[in-house]
Structures are given as C-alpha cells and as structure tokens.
Amino acid sequence: MAISIIKIKNQNALKESEEKFKLLANNIPAAVYLVKYDEERSKIYLNDQIEHLTGYKKDSFFDGTIKLLDLYHPEDRTNAVKIISEAVNKKEPFVVTCRIIRKDGTIKWIEEYGESIIIDGKVEYLEGVILDVTERKQIENAIIAKELAESSNKAKSAFLANMSHEIRTPLNGIIGFSKLLLNTPISEIQSQYLNTVNQSAQSLLDVVNDILDLSKIEAGKLILENKKTNLHHIIDQTIDMMKFNAHQKNLELIVDIDNNVECNIWVDEIRLKQIIQNLLSNAIKFTHEGEIIIKVTLLEKTTDKSILNFEIIDTGVGIKPENQSKVLEAFTQEDSSTTRNYGGTGLGLSITNSLLKMMNSKLVIESEVNKGSKFSFALELKSKPCERLTKLTNNKIDNVLIVEDNNYISALIRKTFKNFGIESESNPEINNINFENFKLILLDFEYLGSNSVTEIIQTHPKVQFLIMQNSTSVFKEIDNYKNANTIVKPLKIEVLQNYLNKLNNPDGKEIKTSKTNEKITKENCKVLIVEDNKINMLLTKTLLTKRFSNISIFEAENGLEAVQNYKIYKPDIVLMDIQMPVMNGYEATKEIRKLNPNAIIIALTAGVIAGEKDKCMDIGMNDFILKPIDKNIFDETIFKWVNTL
C-alpha cells in the first residue's frame, strides 16, 4: 500500500514538474524542442514559439509534414547538419548559426543551441533552443558594411593623395618653367605656344583639384573656415582668374554689387571663391556671345548679419528643364554631346552644390534653351560695412563722361562715381560730345577701336582719359600719351579709386608695401633644397637665383642626404619635399630638429589632402608652400623667414 502511495506521489510530482516545464518553455522568447534521436527525429515537445519563428503549425512538425531540417536554407543546410552530427557523435553541446526559410518565403537568421540526452551511454534524445537573431545579424552586417566602406574610403583617400602628389609634381615643373619662359624675350608665336602649354597644365590641375575636392566632401573631411574677408576682393580675384577666357570669346563680364551690401563678411574665402569660379567658368564655357553678370544683392539684414543673394547670369545655350537636376550630379553633364563639345569632368556644379549644402544653402537653376541661364544661391553671413571704398582724397573731379555702348555697364559705372560723390553722364555717340567740358572721360576701347581712341586722345591733350580695355586688348600706343591711362574691365572699385586719388594728388608719394620689393638683408643666405625630382629641383633653384642674388644653394635628393648635408653646410633655410625615397620629409625634419631646434624648415609639397599642412606644422616645420608653386607666395615666404634671421 505504501509503495502504491509513493508511486502515485511520484507520478503527480512528475506531472506537476512537466506542467511547470511546459509553462516555463512557452514563456521563453525562443523555440524549445525535445526530439527522439531517431531517423525521423520524432517530436516529443515543441513550444508555441516554433509557430511564430517558422510560420508552420506545431501539428505539422508532430505529424512529420515538415521538419526543421527542411527549413534550413539550402546554402547553410550541409554545414548545419555537419556541426550537429559531429557534436552528437562526440556527445557534446552544439551551436548552429544559419538561415531558415519560413512558410511565407521570408528568411530568418537563427542560432540553435542543443545537446544530446544520454541514457545508458547511448544518445536517446536531442533537446535545444532556437533564437531569432535576424535583427542582430542585420546590425552586424551593417557594421561590417560600414567598416568595409570606411576601409575603402581610407584606401581611396590614400590612393588619391598619392596620385595627387604624383600628378602635381610634374605639373609644378610644367607650370613653373612655362611661366618663367614667358617672362623672357621670345617671339609672339612662341608666347602663344607657351600660353597654350600653361593653360593646358592649369586645366589638368583643375581636374585633379576637382576630384580631390569631391573625395574630401564624400569622406566628410572637408572643413569650412569662417574668417573676416572682403566681398569685393573675392569677386575681383575670381574675375581675375576667369576674365581672359571670357574676353577671348568677346564676352562682356559685368559685376553688379548693390550699394546696401556690406562688403566685410565672415566666410570661408577659398570655398566661396571656388563656388563663384565654378559657376563663372561654367557660364563662360556655355556662352558663345553676349554677357555674363555676377550680381550680389541683399535679401535680409539684421544687426550683424546679412542674407546675400549671389547670381551668375549668362546669355548661353541654356539647359533643358528635364536636365536641370542632372547637371548637379557628379561626373554628369546635360547630355553626351555636351562632353564632346565642351569637355570637362562634370564635377564643378556637383562640388559647388555640395559646398553650398555645407554652408546651409543650395544652388538654384533657372534656364531657357538658347536664351541663357541663371545660377543663384543665398548665404547668411556675419557682415559689417567698409566705407573706405567710397572715399577719395582731395577730390577735384566734378564731372565724368562715360563712352560705353552697353547701357547696363554705363549705369553701373555711373553708380560707382556717384558713390564717390562725382557727377557723371554716359553717351555712346562720340560725334555729339564736347570733350573739353569734362575733367575725366572713360572710353571703351573694344567699342570705339584703336584708331578712334588714338584720335580722341591726340586731339584733346588737356583732357584726362581712362581707356577701358579687355584683358586681351592690345593698345601699345598708350605709352605715348601723358593724358591717358588704361583700366581693365570689369572695373574694380579699388583700382578706380587708386587711379582717381593719383589723379587728384599728382605730387603724392606712392607707398610700396609689397614684401616682394624688399631685398634679403642677410649676407650670403644659405638654402638647402631637399627634392627627389630633378625638374622640380631645377625649378626651385631657378626661382631662388632669379629673385635673390645674395644666396647660396645646396641640394639633397632624399631625407637622409638632407640630414647629412645639414650637418655639413648648416643652412639658414631648408625647403623640404615630403614624399621621397630612403627617408621622407617628416622623418628628415625630426632628425634636423634634433641637430638644431631653431632650424627654419619650409614644406615644399604637392600634397593637398586635408590635414597635410597641419601634419607638417605638428611635425616641426615652420611654413608650407604648395606645388605647383605660386611665384608670389614663394617669394613672400622666403622673404618672411630669411629676414627673421
């Protein structure tokens, strides 16, 4: 009797334990199974989560309609079975990570944790838990993809940095020597050929810079600066770079900056120049006749900020409406014929729009085929007025005549004179003019022609004339007349202001502040040039010897030789290339710093990747000159450091 009671109690306890197990298993957020270790893997127990995981009813598993093995992804099945079989044979737990295909065809990632139940030394059952790890796998894949992308970006940046250096290095020689040769006595035809070489090299340099800029923007490594600058200087310098190309096509360049625009602004000067230059270059490329206008207006003003609207308007070929968004894509132009007819990488507008996005703005395009285009953008900038541009010293000029056939240009010049407090009038009909009634007369050289201009100047020797010329105009006779000077269009306010001040103050002394007019004060200054490229070595030596007479030059072809020569010659200045064999410029700088902590070392490098200048400074260099070398920057940098010795 007692045995029967104990047996009943054990059965009740077992049943209670089983119920507790089922309750626990059904509340686990994972599929739980218990199967016989036979050929059919007969199901003993499955919790409800199996239905949620697979989409199949539990009955389908119990009656053998479907097996978990059948759900394994075909690409993962063989490996999963192999892992389980090997673990069971060794009587060890197993973990399988694979994909399963649900009833609705969707794919889930699972992790299956299982082990054998051994009775009398023999595997009788398999039990396990199956977790849905799809979300985790997606995150892992995203991380892997991100790491691959970052790795790819690093590799691309390194490649571009190296390629940039390799391309810019020979360009330095081409641009540098062609400019030097242009300043020597050569024939007109030779001058044309050299200008072509120089312009071609500059075009190639522009392509390299475009690709690098795009790479830096994509990698998020382009950082905008925010410094005080002058809006007129930005526009003038941009025009200087582009006016020759425009004037070669007989295009009129017009600058229209409203009077209420404050010209002291805080912005990234280099990038704003780049934006305007890209838009101006684009306008010149696609305009065959007519004019191109750069217009800046004030949209809104607060205490210390202005919202300025910039417009570049042309009379060019225009853009079809369906292609206006396409031209903002990288490496894209309006159509395939555009590339054949006009060339270019198609990066300019894409880079421009990307830069504007970084400035919280965007490029707006309005265009009509065969009538022209207007590209505009608005920038919110800190601003302050600069009244100096409207001031004249001892002004004695009270009336000015403007002989110009373009009414828009005439109106802008008259506005400028009005800002100076000078009355003016315009008249394109020279036959009806009494020139003697005016203190100053502006003549448009392209409109009137050389013969008419010469005749007017000769017949009115008591009148002062200012001849407005294009950058391509040739008027050598101007040197024969004391009552005439030239000014290049579009007229710069500061240039006109300086001319009027000289006219009003003929006895005033001209103050030259340019450091390039100074002389090296140190007697026999010693310079060590470290450069592995023979052409660039020759160019640097030529720039030094042509500009500075009292200078001694020593050479080194790599960083190791530079350190050795520094010990021997003890130079005052070291011009250090960066990428060199044996020992690079960074390593050589560190070694020279050990020899002399006060050594003056100037980087002379073709590297333009973001952070290159900072790295040079951090490593211990004093200054940075970029290749291709700008002669004025080179001269000023040498003066600056030599005269501190």
Side-chain angles (χ1 to χ4, degrees):
M1 182 70 177
I3 294 173
S4 298
I5 292 171
I6 292 170
K7 186 177 180 181
I8 291 169
K9 285 183 177 180
N10 286 340
Q11 287 175 345
N12 289 336
L14 183 62
K15 186 176 181 181
E16 184 178 339
S17 177
E18 185 180 335
E19 292 297 327
K20 286 181 180 179
F21 168 76
K22 288 181 178 180
L23 181 64
L24 177 63
N26 280 325
N27 283 282
I28 292 175
V32 179
Y33 65 82
L34 175 64
V35 300
K36 282 187 178 181
Y37 186 59
D38 55 19
E39 190 174 339
E40 298 298 325
R41 296 290 197 271
S42 304
K43 305 300 180 290
I44 305 298
Y45 174 78
L46 293 171
N47 72 347
D48 296 338
Q49 282 292 323
I50 196 74
E51 296 183 354
H52 177 73
L53 179 66
T54 67
Y56 290 95
K57 295 292 184 181
K58 285 197 291 185
D59 292 344
S60 299
F61 290 97
F62 280 111
D63 63 19
T65 305
I66 191 73
K67 298 177 182 177
L68 184 61
L69 182 64
D70 298 333
L71 303 184
Y72 287 155
H73 194 286
E75 294 177 5
D76 302 342
R77 186 178 298 142
T78 302
N79 187 54
V81 171
K82 180 182 178 182
I83 291 171
I84 294 171
S85 298
E86 289 179 352
V88 170
N89 291 336
K90 294 178 181 179
K91 299 178 181 178
E92 295 175 349
F94 60 84
V95 179
V96 175
T97 303
C98 66
R99 292 165 293 174
I100 63 168
I101 302 175
R102 301 177 77 249
K103 185 176 182 180
D104 61 5
T106 58
I107 294 174
K108 292 273 189 181
W109 276 96
I110 64 164
E111 272 187 0
E112 183 178 346
Y113 295 84
E115 64 178 341
S116 307
I117 297 176
I118 302 168
I119 300 175
D120 298 331
K122 183 181 177 183
V123 177
E124 293 287 348
Y125 301 94
L126 296 179
E127 62 179 355
V129 176
I130 305 173
L131 301 173
D132 183 350
V133 294
T134 305
E135 187 174 343
R136 192 192 79 195
K137 269 291 182 181
Q138 289 171 342
I139 294 171
E140 288 176 357
N141 289 337
I143 292 171
I144 292 170
K146 182 183 177 184
E147 289 174 348
L148 286 172
E150 289 175 349
S151 176
S152 175
N153 276 335
K154 286 179 181 177
K156 183 173 73 172
S157 296
F159 171 77
L160 286 172
N162 185 57
M163 288 306 299
S164 165
H165 182 275
E166 294 303 315
I167 294 171
R168 292 173 73 92
T169 296
L171 280 177
N172 182 53
I174 298 169
I175 293 172
F177 276 113
S178 60
K179 282 184 176 178
L180 286 173
L181 198 53
L182 281 167
N183 293 323
T184 62
I186 54 176
S187 68
E188 183 61 32
I189 190 70
Q190 288 172 326
S191 177
Q192 291 178 23
Y193 291 164
L194 278 172
N195 271 313
T196 302
V197 171
N198 195 267
Q199 289 172 22
S200 298
Q202 289 286 357
S203 297
L204 180 55
L205 184 61
D206 289 341
V207 172
V208 173
N209 289 338
D210 278 351
I211 294 172
L212 285 170
D213 280 341
L214 184 68
S215 175
K216 284 187 280 188
I217 291 169
E218 287 179 345
K221 292 184 178 180
L222 193 146
I223 300 172
L224 297 179
E225 295 183 349
N226 195 40
K227 294 182 179 179
K228 182 182 177 182
T229 185
N230 186 290
L231 176 62
H232 289 271
H233 292 168
I234 290 174
I235 300 294
D236 289 346
Q237 289 167 16
T238 306
I239 288 289
D240 282 343
M241 289 186 283
M242 308 305 302
K243 63 188 176 186
F244 184 78
N245 291 338
H247 290 157
Q248 276 188 319
K249 299 176 73 172
N250 294 318
L251 300 175
E252 197 79 72
L253 280 180
I254 302 172
V255 176
D256 183 1
I257 302 177
D258 274 3
N259 285 340
N260 55 0
V261 171
E262 295 180 337
C263 56
N264 283 326
I265 59 173
W266 278 254
V267 71
D268 189 316
E269 179 180 353
I270 293 174
R271 295 306 171 186
L272 182 54
K273 278 183 192 174
Q274 184 178 5
I275 289 168
I276 298 172
Q277 183 181 346
N278 281 345
L279 295 175
L280 193 56
S281 174
N282 194 66
I284 293 170
K285 182 188 291 186
F286 296 106
T287 304
H288 303 300
E289 59 182 2
E291 61 191 28
I292 296 168
I293 304 168
I294 301 177
K295 190 172 184 179
V296 186
T297 54
L298 178 67
L299 296 182
E300 191 176 321
K301 182 76 181 76
T302 59
T303 305
D304 63 345
K305 286 191 176 182
S306 297
I307 298 178
L308 301 181
N309 192 57
F310 295 78
E311 297 175 336
I312 285 78
I313 307 164
D314 65 57
T315 55
V317 297
I319 308 169
K320 296 175 183 176
E322 63 268 23
N323 290 330
Q324 290 181 17
S325 60
K326 186 192 294 186
V327 297
L328 298 179
E329 299 173 10
F331 303 103
T332 303
Q333 292 187 329
E334 186 181 356
D335 55 41
S336 58
S337 64
T338 304
T339 305
R340 289 197 301 271
N341 293 333
Y342 298 98
T345 60
L347 290 175
L349 292 181
S350 175
I351 291 170
T352 296
N353 203 36
S354 296
L355 289 172
L356 287 172
K357 285 179 182 177
M358 294 177 69
M359 296 178 174
N360 300 315
S361 182
K362 65 177 181 178
L363 193 61
V364 178
I365 302 174
E366 300 173 45
S367 185
E368 191 172 346
V369 176
N370 297 325
K371 289 191 176 181
S373 303
K374 179 171 75 174
F375 291 82
S376 62
F377 60 92
L379 294 177
E380 183 176 1
L381 306 169
K382 180 182 175 183
S383 65
K384 286 186 179 179
C386 47
E387 297 176 357
R388 184 178 61 82
L389 287 176
T390 62
K391 304 295 183 184
L392 294 178
T393 304
N394 302 323
N395 182 47
K396 304 177 187 69
I397 301 169
D398 54 11
N399 60 344
V400 173
L401 174 67
I402 303 155
V403 181
E404 163 69 61
D405 63 327
N406 188 302
N407 293 332
Y408 191 2
I409 295 175
S410 293
L412 291 173
I413 297 174
R414 291 192 65 192
K415 181 178 73 171
T416 301
F417 278 107
K418 186 177 181 181
N419 291 338
F420 288 138
I422 299 174
E423 293 298 320
S424 64
E425 62 179 79
S426 60
N427 189 346
E429 301 298 330
I430 58 174
N431 295 328
N432 301 325
I433 297 173
N434 185 349
F435 292 102
E436 305 296 335
N437 291 337
F438 299 93
K439 297 284 184 68
L440 175 65
I441 298 173
L442 279 70
L443 301 177
D444 184 0
F445 183 82
E446 298 299 322
Y447 165 55
L448 295 173
S450 178
N451 292 336
S452 293
V453 170
T454 302
E455 183 182 350
I456 293 170
I457 295 172
Q458 286 177 336
T459 54
H460 301 87
K462 294 183 179 180
V463 179
Q464 286 293 329
F465 291 95
L466 189 57
I467 314 304
M468 300 182 293
Q469 292 183 279
N470 286 347
S471 57
T472 54
S473 302
V474 178
F475 186 36
K476 295 179 181 179
E477 294 80 6
I478 188 71
D479 295 331
N480 301 327
Y481 309 107
K482 293 182 179 180
N483 63 326
N485 284 277
T486 61
I487 188 169
V488 177
K489 297 172 71 177
L491 274 57
K492 298 178 184 176
I493 293 177
E494 282 190 302
V495 173
L496 182 60
Q497 184 185 42
N498 290 337
Y499 168 76
L500 294 173
N501 280 332
K502 288 177 183 177
L503 202 60
N504 285 314
N505 304 277
D507 299 326
K509 292 183 179 179
E510 185 179 353
I511 301 173
K512 294 184 179 180
T513 58
S514 173
K515 291 186 179 181
T516 56
N517 291 319
E518 300 174 8
K519 289 184 178 180
I520 291 179
T521 55
K522 180 179 173 60
E523 188 175 343
N524 193 26
C525 176
K526 294 186 289 185
V527 177
L528 172 62
I529 305 172
V530 188
E531 172 65 70
D532 65 320
N533 184 286
K534 292 183 179 180
I535 294 174
N536 285 329
M537 173 69 80
L538 178 59
L539 174 62
T540 308
K541 286 170 59 180
T542 305
L543 289 172
L544 286 171
T545 54
K546 272 189 160 296
R547 190 66 187 85
F548 315 118
S549 56
N550 52 331
I551 198 164
S552 297
I553 297 173
F554 306 97
E555 302 177 19
E557 292 186 358
N558 57 64
L560 182 60
E561 191 176 329
V563 176
Q564 293 168 348
N565 286 356
Y566 190 89
K567 293 177 184 177
I568 298 169
Y569 302 113
K570 295 180 174 55
D572 299 297
I573 288 183
V574 179
L575 296 177
M576 182 74 73
D577 189 23
I578 300 300
Q579 291 192 21
M580 294 180 293
V582 185
M583 180 186 287
N584 65 35
Y586 299 129
E587 296 165 336
T589 297
K590 289 179 181 179
E591 293 302 315
I592 291 173
R593 279 273 173 260
K594 292 176 184 177
L595 299 172
N596 180 7
N598 298 317
I600 296 174
I601 305 173
I602 301 171
L604 195 61
T605 176
V608 292
I609 293 297
E612 180 90 0
K613 183 175 181 179
D614 292 337
K615 187 174 181 181
C616 288
M617 297 305 180
D618 292 342
I619 217 76
M621 297 186 184
N622 301 83
D623 217 323
F624 184 93
I625 299 175
L626 188 64
K627 299 174 187 173
I629 296 171
D630 183 299
K631 185 179 179 298
N632 291 332
I633 293 174
F634 181 84
D635 289 351
E636 288 181 9
T637 304
I638 300 299
F639 276 122
K640 178 174 73 175
W641 289 105
V642 173
N643 288 332
T644 62
L645 296 171

